[in-house]
Amino acid sequence: SDEFYIGSGRPRPLKDYLRRVGELAGRPDLIALGARPDDGTRFCADWFSIDRLTAETGFVPSIGFDEGVRANLDYLRGIVRPA
């Protein structure tokens, strides 16, 4: 069985994604970067390539990060009621 990375094919540091989620949710104060020590793990952008996925399946991302996060936030706001 094959495994594929599914994403945009344009990786960025995780901290960028986390900060953006905080911004889109209207709660950037909840994103505490640096709260845990760096584990030393380093990543290579090639690991996140979707070239093989696209070649073998035809998958091409059609929803951007912001749009996907907003859709999830809307969904969660619809099912989660503050106490």
Side-chain angles (χ1 to χ4, degrees):
S1 73
D2 285 331
E3 295 178 2
F4 295 100
Y5 170 76
I6 298 176
S8 68
R10 295 180 309 277
R12 297 184 314 200
L14 178 59
K15 67 181 179 179
D16 294 351
Y17 290 107
L18 296 173
R19 284 184 179 135
R20 188 64 185 141
V21 169
E23 292 168 2
L24 293 169
R27 293 301 308 266
D29 56 302
L30 295 179
I31 307 300
L33 298 174
R36 299 184 69 183
D38 186 338
D39 66 5
T41 303
R42 298 296 174 254
F43 298 91
C44 175
D46 290 344
W47 298 348
F48 302 100
S49 171
I50 62 168
D51 293 343
R52 192 170 67 88
L53 172 67
T54 299
E56 293 185 24
T57 68
F59 172 79
V60 177
S62 61
I63 297 174
F65 183 77
D66 284 13
E67 183 182 354
V69 170
R70 283 187 187 108
N72 278 286
L73 289 170
D74 289 346
Y75 170 75
L76 291 171
R77 288 176 180 135
I79 63 168
V80 176
R81 304 279 186 243

